[in-house]
């Protein structure tokens, strides 16, 4: 197994063939059947492409130019005066500029047209050359069918002849690398060879991503653009021994920063794999301080197997600097379960309740009495407050409908401790899983991915999807900070939390405050020292407009003002339930104790919680420097967007900092 960042040879089978005689046109070789192998084009000049040397960059642009039908020349070069070292160059079309007027009797005809086509390359990190400017359009006719011989092509042919052993045939074959991008830095600093260091199982080499025409270039250009424009962008690509792409993982700067805030509960969405979409997308999703889904990384998986899941999980974990989540939510896929236990042994692994219940019609819809079975199943899953209640309801359902031999229900029961809410009361889910029958769940890329979405279509939509999600979060930030929330009761709890929670979380908490009025008959039943047990009765709606009375047991510790309700809403959602609020109110407690006001739901969470990471970094590593700085920069970006005044302050300070950087750059020239 090999992990690379678009720097292996060959990648995506990008190989070009050139003839050394005649017009240097590309060669097409006939096989025994008479069919022809068509030549493949090199990647288009793209900002961010990197090369190991100036000559390699020149050769790349020269080969591209030959394919398009024009020649090139070095029109400008910049040198450092002290070292006499070239650090910048402009490679132009041979028709660039204009010649000086000649006074000769028979001057040569003018061939230059002032053509703007060019690339500018610059030396970075004192060892690689990067394309920093590109212009592809010409102001004259360019076509590979025009059989014209250019000097730059002649140089290429002469160099090839010199390097050719005498016994070689006349035809030269020139292989183009898929040149390194800046993401190679990540590989050079500890993010590659995950399987070799961690001992991943050897994969099935017959499984790989099915890339259609245009997909490879689309993915390649997507990573080049993201690495250039997105600070702290990370990606890894996994190839088999035949250089076929098996797996891909990436996470942009926002995803990596978001994980620093919201790493408590992570859902691994494999809907596209389970539903057999053409796009084998896997997403890592968390919940932000507004209760909105936030992307923490994603990738493409070549095969739904343990080995492939392990690779992408370890790639994600390396991207997040080895920081494991507390809770992981997935579907019931067996290879997925094994991979999670191997890579995240300390995390609490749970199955998505909503996904399981969505499959009920598919798995049980053909049974006699399906509607009654579904009703009893929902009652057992959603209404059980104690384990004995679930066990009793489940057993009654199985016996009444003769479902003892149903394999799917047998599996669900065997794994009940990983998905039934009554078994998960000690687990904090940050609102990630639905615990009520009427709650639903939407995939992060819902509306952007369908059954036949291609790789190219997805990477084209990726920016738009994330932009809309980020816009939604930014809008919620502004609304939460600048808006005064409407109070619906006279309860002090409501007033208190309106000043702390974001709007979306406050709305949910407010419904619990209003729900206090549906509770009645709060009474003490036992007392064991400072621990007092209360029963709170509530009228709840059931099917139709019918209502029934349910009793909720609430434990209250008077010394530390600790409180716990049997419904465990606090663990599921992160805020107190109406039953606990009733008991606090009954005991004259006017404010929610601070331990029950989670910082992750507060308006100023991102500004107060700055995950700056370890101060023990390798200052010689560009990856470590970038990651460390990015953790400091995120609060500046978030704060600067809050108001016009803060925006102006942040922008002014950043401009001053950039000016200082430019002064340092100039001193090095």
């Amino acid at each position: 197994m090999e992990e690379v960042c678009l720097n292996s040879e060959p990648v995506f089978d990008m190989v070009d063939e050139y003839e050394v005689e005649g017009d240097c046109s590309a060669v097409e070789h006939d096989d025994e059947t008479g069919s022809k192998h068509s030549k493949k084009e090199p990647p288009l000049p793209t900002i961010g492409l990197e090369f190991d040397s100036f000559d390699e960059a020149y050769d790349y642009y020269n080969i591209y130019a030959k394919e398009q039908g024009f020649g090139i020349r070095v029109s400008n070069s910049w040198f450092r005066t002290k070292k006499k070292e070239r650090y910048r160059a402009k490679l132009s079309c041979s028709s660039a500029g204009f010649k000086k007027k000649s006074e000769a009797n028979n001057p040569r005809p003018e061939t230059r047209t002032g053509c703007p086509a060019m690339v500018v390359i610059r030396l970075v990190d004192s060892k690689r050359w990067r394309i920093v400017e590109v212009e592809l359009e010409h102001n004259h006719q360019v076509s590979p069918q025009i059989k014209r011989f250019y000097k730059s092509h002649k140089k290429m042919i002469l160099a090839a002849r010199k390097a050719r052993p005498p016994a070689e045939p006349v035809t030269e074959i020139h292989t183009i690398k898929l040149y390194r991008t800046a993401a190679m830095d990540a590989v050079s600093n500890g993010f590659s060879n995950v399987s070799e260091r961690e001992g991943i199982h050897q994969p099935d080499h017959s499984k790989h991503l099915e890339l259609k025409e245009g997909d490879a270039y689309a993915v390649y250009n997507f990573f080049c653009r993201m690495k250039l424009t997105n600070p702290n962008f990370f990606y890894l690509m996994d190839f088999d021994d035949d250089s076929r792409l098996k797996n891909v993982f990436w996470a942009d700067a926002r995803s990596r920063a978001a994980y620093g805030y919201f790493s408590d509960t992570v859902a691994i969405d494999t809907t596209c794999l389970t539903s057999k979409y053409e796009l084998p997308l896997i997403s890592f999703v968390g919940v932000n301080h507004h209760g909105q889904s936030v992307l923490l990384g994603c990738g493409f998986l070549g095969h739904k197997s343990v080995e492939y899941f392990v690779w992408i999980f370890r790639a994600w974990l390396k991207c997040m600097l080895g920081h494991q989540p507390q809770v992981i939510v997935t579907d019931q896929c067996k290879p997925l379960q094994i991979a999670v236990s191997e890579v995240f042994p300390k995390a609490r692994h749970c199955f998505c309740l909503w996904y399981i219940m969505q499959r009920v019609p598919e798995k049980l819809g053909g049974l006699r009495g399906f509607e009654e079975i579904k009703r009893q199943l929902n009652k057992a899953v959603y209404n059980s407050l104690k384990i004995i209640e679930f066990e009793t309801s489940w057993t009654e359902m199985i016996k009444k409908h003769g479902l003892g031999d149903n394999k799917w229900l047998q599996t669900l029961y065997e794994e009940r401790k990983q998905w039934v809410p009554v078994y998960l009361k000690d687990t904090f889910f940050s609102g990630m899983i639905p615990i009520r029958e009427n709650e639903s769940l939407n995939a992060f890329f819902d509306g952007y991915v369908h059954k036949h979405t291609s790789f190219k279509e997805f990477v084209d939509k990726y920016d738009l999807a994330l932009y809309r999600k980020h816009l939604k979060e930014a809008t919620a930030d502004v609304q939460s900070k600048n808006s005064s929330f409407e109070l619906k009761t006279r309860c002090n709890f409501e007033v208190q939390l309106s000043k702390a929670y974001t709007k979306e979380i406050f709305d949910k908490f407010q419904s619990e405050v209003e729900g206090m009025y549906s509770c009645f008959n709060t009474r003490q039943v036992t007392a064991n020292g400072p621990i007092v047990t209360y029963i709170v009765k509530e009228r709840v709606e059931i099917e139709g407009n019918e209502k029934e009375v349910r009793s909720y047991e609430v434990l209250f510790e008077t010394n530390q003002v600790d409180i716990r309700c049997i419904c465990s809403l606090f663990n599921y959602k992160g805020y107190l339930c109406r039953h606990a609020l009733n008991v606090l109110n009954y005991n004259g407690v006017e404010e929610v104790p601070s331990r029950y006001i989670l910082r992750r739901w507060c308006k100023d969470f991102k500004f107060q919680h700055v995950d700056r990471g370890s101060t023990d970094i390798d200052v010689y590593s560009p990856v470590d420097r970038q990651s460390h700085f990015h953790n400091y920069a995120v609060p500046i970006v978030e704060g600067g967007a809050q108001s016009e005044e803060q925006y102006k302050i942040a922008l002014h300070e950043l401009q001053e900092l950039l000016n200082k950087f430019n002064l340092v750059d100039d001193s090095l020239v």
Side-chain angles (χ1 to χ4, degrees):
M1 180 185 297
E2 179 186 10
E3 295 85 17
V4 299
C5 284
L6 293 177
N7 68 312
S8 287
E9 178 182 4
V11 175
F12 300 146
D13 298 327
M14 291 182 181
V15 178
D16 289 71
E17 300 174 349
Y18 293 91
E19 192 177 57
V20 297
E21 299 292 348
D23 62 2
C24 302
S25 59
V27 180
E28 294 181 334
H29 297 283
D30 292 331
D31 58 20
E32 294 179 358
T33 63
S35 62
K36 293 187 177 182
H37 302 293
S38 61
K39 59 183 178 59
K40 300 182 179 65
E41 297 180 358
L44 292 175
T46 307
I47 293 177
L49 281 181
E50 293 192 358
F51 311 86
D52 290 329
S53 65
F54 171 83
D55 289 339
E56 191 176 81
Y58 180 92
D59 290 344
Y60 159 77
Y61 192 52
N62 197 19
I63 293 171
Y64 165 78
K66 180 180 177 299
E67 283 298 302
Q68 299 299 312
F70 68 95
I72 69 168
R73 59 188 173 86
V74 181
S75 58
N76 290 94
S77 288
W78 290 262
F79 295 83
R80 294 192 173 97
T81 54
K82 294 181 179 180
K83 299 181 180 179
K84 294 184 179 180
E85 176 189 24
R86 176 159 33 199
Y87 71 91
R88 187 181 178 96
K90 182 178 181 181
L91 310 180
S92 301
C93 171
S94 57
S95 296
F98 297 96
K99 290 184 178 180
K100 294 181 180 179
K101 291 185 178 181
S102 174
E103 297 180 357
N105 292 331
N106 296 306
R108 292 183 179 180
E110 178 62 76
T111 58
R112 298 188 184 181
T113 62
C115 181
M118 59 83 194
V119 296
V120 175
I121 56 177
R122 181 173 181 173
L123 187 65
V124 293
D125 297 336
S126 300
K127 56 184 177 181
R128 298 199 301 276
W129 287 82
R130 178 186 299 166
I131 295 180
V132 295
E133 293 182 41
V134 172
E135 175 56 60
L136 299 180
E137 297 299 323
H138 298 260
N139 64 1
H140 56 93
Q141 187 177 5
V142 171
S143 172
Q145 279 72 43
I146 299 178
K147 306 299 184 180
R148 183 172 176 180
F149 196 81
Y150 291 95
K151 288 183 179 180
S152 62
H153 303 161
K154 181 179 180 180
K155 292 178 182 179
M156 180 173 61
I157 296 167
L158 292 176
R161 282 177 173 172
K162 289 180 181 180
R164 184 182 62 203
E168 288 291 317
V170 175
T171 301
E172 287 281 332
I173 297 181
H174 187 93
T175 302
I176 295 181
K177 296 180 183 179
L178 186 55
Y179 296 98
R180 299 166 34 142
T181 71
M184 183 58 188
D185 291 339
V187 179
S188 302
N189 288 278
F191 291 111
S192 66
N193 298 325
V194 177
S195 63
E196 294 178 8
R197 294 199 308 273
E198 304 289 350
I200 292 180
H201 311 290
Q202 289 301 314
D204 180 356
H205 293 295
S206 66
K207 305 298 182 182
H208 56 88
L209 297 175
E210 298 294 336
L211 298 173
K212 296 181 179 179
E213 183 178 358
D215 286 345
Y217 283 108
V219 173
Y220 168 77
N221 289 330
F222 169 71
F223 285 138
C224 284
R225 174 171 52 81
M226 291 296 289
K227 186 61 188 176
L228 184 69
T229 61
N230 198 306
N232 215 22
F233 182 75
F234 177 101
Y235 70 91
L236 281 178
M237 307 189 82
D238 182 21
F239 292 85
D240 64 16
D241 294 337
D242 297 321
S243 296
R244 293 181 299 184
L245 187 60
K246 296 190 301 180
N247 303 305
V248 181
F249 169 79
W250 75 90
D252 63 16
R254 283 184 178 270
S255 294
R256 300 184 75 183
Y259 188 71
Y261 300 122
F262 312 114
S263 60
D264 42 16
T265 304
V266 176
I268 301 177
D269 186 355
T270 54
T271 303
C272 291
L273 300 172
T274 304
S275 302
K276 298 182 180 180
Y277 282 22
E278 291 184 15
L279 184 75
L281 178 67
I282 179 171
S283 305
F284 299 82
V285 182
V287 174
N288 68 12
H289 52 310
H290 301 288
Q292 302 166 346
S293 61
V294 57
L295 188 66
L296 305 175
C298 55
F300 302 134
L301 202 70
H303 184 224
K304 198 176 177 181
S305 65
V306 174
E307 294 81 7
Y308 284 58
F309 279 126
V310 166
W311 183 91
I312 206 161
F313 290 170
R314 286 196 167 137
W316 180 68
L317 195 58
K318 289 295 179 183
C319 174
M320 301 309 173
L321 305 180
H323 179 52
Q324 297 205 10
Q326 299 171 23
V327 179
I328 292 179
V329 181
T330 71
D331 65 20
Q332 293 174 281
C333 169
K334 283 296 181 183
L336 190 58
Q337 294 181 46
I338 297 171
V340 168
S341 65
E342 181 174 337
V343 182
F344 309 107
K346 297 180 180 180
R348 179 77 161 93
H349 184 198
C350 305
F351 302 146
C352 179
L353 170 62
W354 180 84
Y355 179 75
I356 290 174
M357 300 307 287
Q358 285 292 109
R359 300 184 70 190
V360 169
E362 170 196 343
K363 295 294 185 178
L364 307 178
L367 299 178
R368 179 181 298 177
F370 167 70
E371 290 300 329
E372 178 62 18
I373 294 173
K374 180 181 177 182
R375 188 190 67 79
Q376 288 187 272
L377 179 60
N378 287 342
K379 179 181 178 181
V381 171
Y382 293 113
N383 296 347
S384 298
L385 293 175
K386 297 180 180 180
I387 291 177
I388 187 62
E389 293 178 14
F390 171 79
E391 296 287 350
T392 301
S393 297
W394 185 276
T395 301
E396 289 178 356
M397 176 189 70
I398 297 296
K399 288 183 177 180
K400 182 177 180 180
H401 299 280
L403 302 174
D405 295 330
N406 188 286
K407 299 296 183 183
W408 186 65
L409 289 176
Q410 286 179 6
T411 301
L412 287 185
Y413 183 74
E414 291 169 1
E415 298 175 339
R416 62 194 181 281
K417 294 182 180 180
Q418 289 180 271
W419 67 276
V420 179
V422 74
Y423 289 96
L424 302 173
K425 290 186 176 183
D426 61 341
T427 305
F428 178 70
F429 287 100
S430 63
M432 179 70 73
I433 65 168
I435 58 170
R436 298 188 178 102
E437 189 175 344
N438 59 352
E439 291 182 327
S440 61
L441 202 62
N442 292 323
F444 184 87
F445 289 106
D446 189 32
Y448 298 93
V449 176
H450 54 77
K451 191 82 173 180
H452 302 292
T453 300
S454 66
F455 290 85
K456 183 180 184 303
E457 183 182 355
F458 176 75
V459 296
D460 287 343
K461 289 182 176 180
Y462 176 85
D463 283 341
L464 177 61
L466 263 64
Y467 169 76
R468 289 176 175 172
K469 296 286 187 178
H470 297 155
L471 180 61
K472 184 178 179 181
E473 180 178 327
T475 302
D477 281 339
V478 173
Q479 290 177 346
S480 296
K481 182 177 181 181
N482 300 331
S483 302
S484 57
F485 304 149
E486 179 186 358
L487 302 180
K488 298 181 179 180
T489 72
R490 296 182 179 180
C491 181
N492 288 334
F493 301 143
E494 185 183 18
V495 177
Q496 176 194 7
L497 274 302
S498 69
K499 300 174 182 178
Y501 284 159
T502 60
K503 186 180 185 304
E504 287 76 7
I505 302 303
F506 175 72
D507 288 344
K508 296 176 181 179
F509 176 75
Q510 190 177 51
S511 68
E512 294 302 313
V513 175
E514 292 183 281
M516 290 173 63
Y517 297 97
S518 65
C519 299
F520 63 97
N521 195 22
T522 300
R523 61 187 177 89
Q524 177 180 328
V525 290
T526 63
N528 184 10
I531 301 177
V532 183
T533 302
Y534 292 87
I535 294 295
V536 178
K537 293 187 177 181
E538 179 190 9
R539 285 189 185 87
V540 297
E541 289 188 3
I542 53 176
E543 296 180 10
N545 295 322
E546 296 183 28
K547 291 187 177 182
E548 71 176 21
V549 175
R550 292 182 185 167
S551 297
Y552 295 85
E553 187 178 283
V554 180
L555 299 181
F556 180 59
E557 202 281 331
T558 56
N559 291 339
Q560 301 296 324
V561 197
D562 283 339
I563 195 161
R564 174 174 294 191
C565 178
I566 196 171
C567 78
S568 291
L569 183 72
F570 182 76
N571 277 350
Y572 294 137
K573 302 294 185 179
Y575 46 84
L576 286 181
C577 64
R578 59 195 64 184
H579 321 112
L581 294 175
N582 255 299
V583 172
L584 289 177
N585 187 61
Y586 182 85
N587 283 273
V589 180
E590 296 185 352
E591 290 190 342
V592 174
S594 59
R595 67 175 63 88
Y596 299 111
I597 305 175
L598 299 184
R599 297 297 304 167
R600 77 174 331 278
W601 298 139
C602 293
K603 303 174 184 180
D604 59 352
F605 174 65
K606 283 192 173 182
F607 310 122
Q608 299 298 324
H609 175 83
V610 180
D611 182 16
R612 295 183 172 91
S614 172
T615 56
D616 183 21
I617 67 166
D618 180 5
V619 295
Y620 298 102
S621 166
V623 173
D624 280 9
R625 292 198 304 266
Q626 189 178 69
S627 297
H628 194 61
F629 277 131
H630 190 262
N631 289 333
Y632 277 86
V634 167
I636 298 175
V637 176
E638 302 285 352
Q642 294 300 308
S643 67
E644 182 179 356
E645 182 179 356
Q646 289 175 241
Y647 168 76
K648 290 179 179 178
I649 293 173
L651 185 61
H652 177 267
E653 295 299 325
L654 289 174
Q655 287 174 337
E656 289 294 319
L657 187 59
L658 289 174
N659 290 336
K660 292 180 181 179
F661 286 164
N662 290 333
L663 290 176
V664 173
D665 287 341
D666 293 341
S667 66
L668 297 176
V669 176

